[in-house]
Amino acid sequence: MTQADVAAALDISTENYNRLEKGKTELTLTKMRKLAEIFNREPAELIADHGNVRTVRVRQHVQAGDWAESHLWEEEDCYDVQVPDDPDLRPFTLHGAESRGPSMNLRYPDGSALIYTDILETGETPVPGKRYIIEVERPDGLREATVKKLFKDDTGKLWLLPESNDPRHQVPIDPFEGDGNIVRVVGKVVFSVQREE
């Protein structure tokens, strides 16, 4: 089959299918199932055919407004997800966190597994347009963790933008003015795994 044939079967443009093949567009479970049907394969085979997979342990959750000393779970509550083994990510540890609540629901539905690299381990500078796990620590030591998209406005100022349809979670964060809170960029989201409804 040509790319155009597969794109037509997926009901997307050839350009979008090309982006999907190159990993520039998220491969949702729905698209993966449709591709598996088109190629008469199992969905897991599609990942395996393009290299190995990595297993990542989801050990915590991220949820705006959930202030606690730690968001790490008990071991019996943790679970594993598999993601493609991206050669660029092999040198780094991958971490998993589950999204909860409506604070990022325009991008990550409740229950999505977010796979991220540790910004201290990679040593990379945050890039506008990418999504990051953000931790905010209050003066009393309690913390919340969530996901925000880094945005640079026309003046060059950086903002952490929520992606939510809930008015309580639509206020951008100025990472340099924490109102007494400490704002940390913890890691860059590199994969998300979403459950089908």
Side-chain angles (χ1 to χ4, degrees):
M1 295 178 79
T2 67
Q3 283 189 338
D5 294 334
V6 178
L10 287 173
D11 197 27
I12 61 175
S13 70
T14 303
E15 179 182 323
N16 282 342
Y17 178 70
N18 189 352
R19 292 177 54 79
L20 187 66
E21 272 194 352
K22 292 181 178 181
K24 295 183 179 183
T25 299
E26 184 177 359
L27 177 61
T28 64
L29 190 53
T30 302
K31 286 179 186 161
M32 188 182 307
R33 285 183 175 154
K34 185 66 177 170
L35 278 170
E37 183 181 307
I38 291 167
F39 295 122
N40 196 26
R41 308 293 292 264
E42 290 297 319
E45 291 178 87
L46 296 178
I47 296 173
D49 284 348
H50 292 94
N52 295 329
V53 295
R54 278 180 80 170
T55 300
V56 180
R57 191 92 170 137
V58 177
R59 299 178 184 274
Q60 65 189 56
H61 66 275
V62 291
Q63 179 178 3
D66 181 16
W67 295 91
E69 289 181 15
S70 173
H71 294 94
L72 292 174
W73 300 339
E74 297 294 328
E75 186 57 34
E76 62 268 9
D77 296 325
C78 299
Y79 60 91
D80 294 331
V81 295
Q82 290 187 328
V83 296
D85 184 19
D86 183 332
D88 293 336
L89 298 174
R90 283 183 189 150
F92 306 112
T93 306
L94 296 181
H95 306 274
E98 183 178 279
S99 66
R100 291 189 179 168
S103 67
M104 57 210 95
N105 63 357
L106 291 177
R107 179 66 179 161
Y108 304 116
D110 193 50
S112 297
L114 308 176
I115 310 306
Y116 66 95
T117 55
D118 183 316
I119 204 93
L120 294 176
E121 181 183 11
T122 63
E124 68 183 285
T125 301
V127 177
K130 301 294 181 185
R131 290 172 183 87
Y132 294 90
I133 303 288
I134 304 300
E135 182 180 79
V136 179
E137 183 177 349
R138 298 190 311 205
D140 65 4
L142 294 181
R143 300 172 181 158
E144 75 166 355
T146 187
V147 176
K148 301 286 186 245
K149 184 175 185 177
L150 188 62
F151 174 77
K152 184 188 284 189
D153 68 19
D154 293 339
T155 68
K157 183 169 177 54
L158 294 174
W159 295 91
L160 295 168
L161 299 181
E163 295 177 275
S164 174
N165 61 8
D166 186 326
R168 297 173 299 163
H169 301 292
Q170 293 178 344
V171 178
I173 295 175
D174 180 339
F176 305 107
E177 288 184 25
D179 297 331
N181 295 333
I182 299 169
V183 178
R184 292 183 192 94
V185 176
V186 175
K188 181 173 82 174
V189 177
V190 293
F191 293 107
S192 68
V193 179
Q194 301 172 4
R195 297 179 192 207
E196 274 302 299
E197 304 261 332

